[in-house]
Each structure stands twice: as C-alpha cells, then as structure tokens.
Amino acid sequence: DVKLYGQMTVELDYVDSDAPGFEDDINMNSNTSSIGVKGSEDLGNGMSAFFKMEYQSDVTEGGALSGRDQYLGLKMERFGKLTFGTTSTAYKSPGSKIDAFYRTNLQMRATGLQSNLHSGKGEEGEGRGTNIARYDSPSFSGFSLTGTYQFDSAKGDGEDDDPYSLGAQYKGGNLYAAASYISTQQSDDNAAAQVLARYNWNAFSFHGIYELDLGLISAQRTNGINGGTGGRAGTANDDGADIWSLGGTYTIGNNLIGVDYGQGSDSDGKDGLANTADDLEEYTVWRIAAYHKFSKRTRVFTGYANTDYDD
C-alpha cells in the first residue's frame, strides 16, 4: 500500500529591509516544494507497519533533493504509534495546525509569529528532529500525548545532550488545543514551552499561541546553540525572549482571508557577552494574506507581513 504524493509551490517574494547592508529585492522562490512516498502494511492483530520518505526540491533553481521527513514505525491499535528516523518534534507538530499559510514565505514561523523552534532540521531543538524516536498515543475522548527522544550523534563534541520533547493535544468539536515542552539538556537554560489553540465558528476561525523562552528561543534567534564565532552566538545563557500572536481567518466560498498580530520580547542577557542573545530586540509583527482555491489541489495566494524591531 504505497502512495506517491507531493507539493509544488512557486512564489514571487519581495523583501524590503532596513538592516545594514541589505538590498531590497524581488526573487522567485520555491518554498517547500517536495515529493515523497509513504505506505503501510497490515500485520494483523491490530498492528501495522508504516513508512515515509520525503524530499524537498527547489523547482525555481532546479537544485538537488534534500531530505525532509524520513521514518519507519509500528502502529498498534490500542497502544499508539512508535516512529524512528527523522520527523517533527512534539513542539513543532501543533504549530502548522493554526497557520493557514504554512509552507509559504508568509508562514508564521518565518515572520516572527512563531519561534524558530518550528523550523529547521537537526539535534539542537530544531523543528524536525534527526536520530529521533517518537511516540504518539491513541486518542482518549479527544486527548492524546506525544513524546520524542533524540540520540546525540556527535559525542566527540564534549556534550552528551539527548534532546527530548513532550506534548498534549485536544481535538473535539470546533476546538483544537495543544501544549508542549522541549529541552536540549545542554545547560540550565536550554528549553522552551508553548500553549496554542484554534477555534472554528461558522466561516471564522480564531487562533493564538504563546511561547515561553527558557533559553532555547534566544539561542535559535542567534543561529543556534554554540553557533557563531568562538561558540558565543547562540549560547543558551539568555532567556526571556517570549513570543505570542493572535489571528483569525474568514472563509467565503473558495476564498480565505487571514489577519495576525504578534510580539516578541528581548532576552534577559545573562552572559554579558557581545553579539550574543542579550542583543536580541523586542519586535512587533503583523500579517494579512489571502488565497483562492481553483480546485482541491490548486490555489493562488498573496499577502504582506511586516516585522518592526525596536531599533
């Protein structure tokens, strides 16, 4: 039982920035075009095996394929699913469920409405975890649990950090809600937590998210833990860079219009080093976007997002 699937996206993205040395530009981009195969096999007695192998491609540049979700696992009817390989953490998974423009250049995680912990791939708190074991429980009256554990593949770097994440979700009627926690186990300040929800009411849908920084959001905003020159940029010795956003969508026929507003705090700056997370600035961000569905599989979209830093 194998299915071939995929998505192709082509955008014209105009970026206007006041950052020093940045030149405003318009470019053609392919944000998360991908192709993959997935399938399952019934093993009897309520058990099945499943797999997925997905690759990302830049169709505008004709570049090489790069790996996305790639895993295999076992599903047991009464006990849930066990997955092994490369897949989303319990922190990333809920974020896409409140974003109508997920996997475009206007997505919440790209504009500051969500943190960078919903993006990337790796072993340092990125959204897609490598060397990961994941458990998803069955749903009990709409409630379910998720947990992940990553096995550090670079013990020679002097760290023995096996990141993990935990999550709980509820889906019932018009409400979806989730809470999750992630830690890289690298230091005392190495974690983040979030709560989010979406409520559908007739043609309207409302959503919100709050992310509590315990060092990891600060680190990811400065190019990752132990990134940069001398291991300074991205240290997890700062925290407090919380993020929140609220938004809503309105659907009329084959059209959807969405509006969002959010804020990101600066970090506490505990280490006092130059060019580290203590240089993070507060910001406000808003987004307005819309799409039209020509069919179930084809749509066109447009939008505008603005991020305003204090300085």
Side-chain angles (χ1 to χ4, degrees):
D1 180 17
V2 177
K3 179 180 180 180
L4 177 69
Y5 70 96
Q7 170 180 315
M8 296 184 72
T9 305
V10 175
E11 306 177 10
L12 288 176
D13 297 330
Y14 175 68
V15 180
D16 176 4
S17 174
D18 293 332
F22 186 89
E23 295 184 8
D24 301 343
D25 197 11
I26 183 169
N27 279 301
M28 182 178 291
N29 291 310
S30 173
N31 283 296
T32 320
S33 294
S34 61
I35 188 169
V37 291
K38 58 184 178 181
S40 62
E41 181 184 15
D42 187 355
L43 303 177
N45 298 317
M47 180 181 293
S48 61
F50 60 89
F51 79 95
K52 181 177 181 179
M53 293 193 70
E54 182 175 305
Y55 295 89
Q56 181 171 326
S57 175
D58 186 341
V59 300
T60 62
E61 296 286 347
L65 296 175
S66 58
R68 287 175 51 82
D69 281 0
Q70 300 187 357
Y71 55 75
L72 55 82
L74 289 173
K75 181 178 180 180
M76 295 156 281
E77 192 172 277
R78 296 183 179 182
F79 299 100
K81 295 193 303 181
L82 281 173
T83 304
F84 305 93
T86 299
T87 190
S88 297
T89 65
Y91 196 94
K92 172 185 180 291
S93 290
S96 62
K97 294 179 173 59
I98 64 171
D99 189 358
F101 297 90
Y102 182 62
R103 292 180 71 170
T104 74
N105 200 40
L106 295 165
Q107 61 191 340
M108 296 177 70
R109 59 185 181 175
T111 57
L113 294 165
Q114 292 178 349
S115 74
N116 289 343
L117 302 182
H118 296 266
S119 304
K121 180 175 69 174
E123 297 179 355
E124 309 297 347
E126 292 88 349
R128 180 173 287 109
T130 56
N131 300 296
I132 200 170
R134 171 168 168 154
Y135 171 73
D136 292 272
S137 78
S139 177
F140 302 98
S141 301
F143 290 93
S144 61
L145 301 174
T146 303
T148 68
Y149 190 88
Q150 292 176 255
F151 298 88
D152 186 5
S153 63
K155 301 295 185 185
D157 60 6
E159 299 173 351
D160 187 6
D161 48 333
D162 293 350
Y164 69 92
S165 66
L166 301 170
Q169 306 85 38
Y170 172 78
K171 185 177 182 180
N174 296 327
L175 177 64
Y176 171 79
S180 51
Y181 174 87
I182 187 169
S183 172
T184 62
Q185 302 196 77
Q186 284 191 327
S187 67
D188 292 335
D189 298 320
N190 57 14
Q194 69 176 357
V195 292
L196 58 86
R198 184 197 69 229
Y199 184 79
N200 300 323
W201 178 57
N202 297 326
F204 292 93
S205 180
F206 305 96
H207 57 264
I209 183 172
Y210 186 90
E211 298 186 60
L212 176 66
D213 180 32
L214 301 173
L216 196 51
I217 294 176
S218 293
Q220 290 290 5
R221 279 180 63 186
T222 49
N223 300 319
I225 293 177
N226 295 326
T229 303
R232 289 187 173 186
T235 61
N237 295 321
D238 306 291
D239 60 24
D242 303 344
I243 295 174
W244 65 267
S245 65
L246 297 171
T249 63
Y250 176 68
T251 303
I252 178 170
N254 292 333
N255 307 291
L256 179 143
I257 302 172
V259 178
D260 296 86
Y261 176 84
Q263 292 184 0
S265 303
D266 59 6
S267 63
D268 294 339
K270 294 179 180 178
D271 58 18
L273 296 173
N275 301 317
T276 59
D278 55 342
D279 294 324
L280 292 177
E281 301 173 42
E282 294 183 9
Y283 67 85
T284 59
V285 57
W286 59 274
R287 176 185 74 172
I288 182 169
Y291 66 70
H292 170 74
K293 286 186 175 181
F294 291 108
S295 68
K296 184 178 180 179
R297 296 190 301 180
T298 305
R299 69 175 181 171
V300 61
F301 60 91
T302 187
Y304 179 86
N306 182 86
T307 306
D308 182 17
Y309 290 87
D310 279 2
D311 292 337

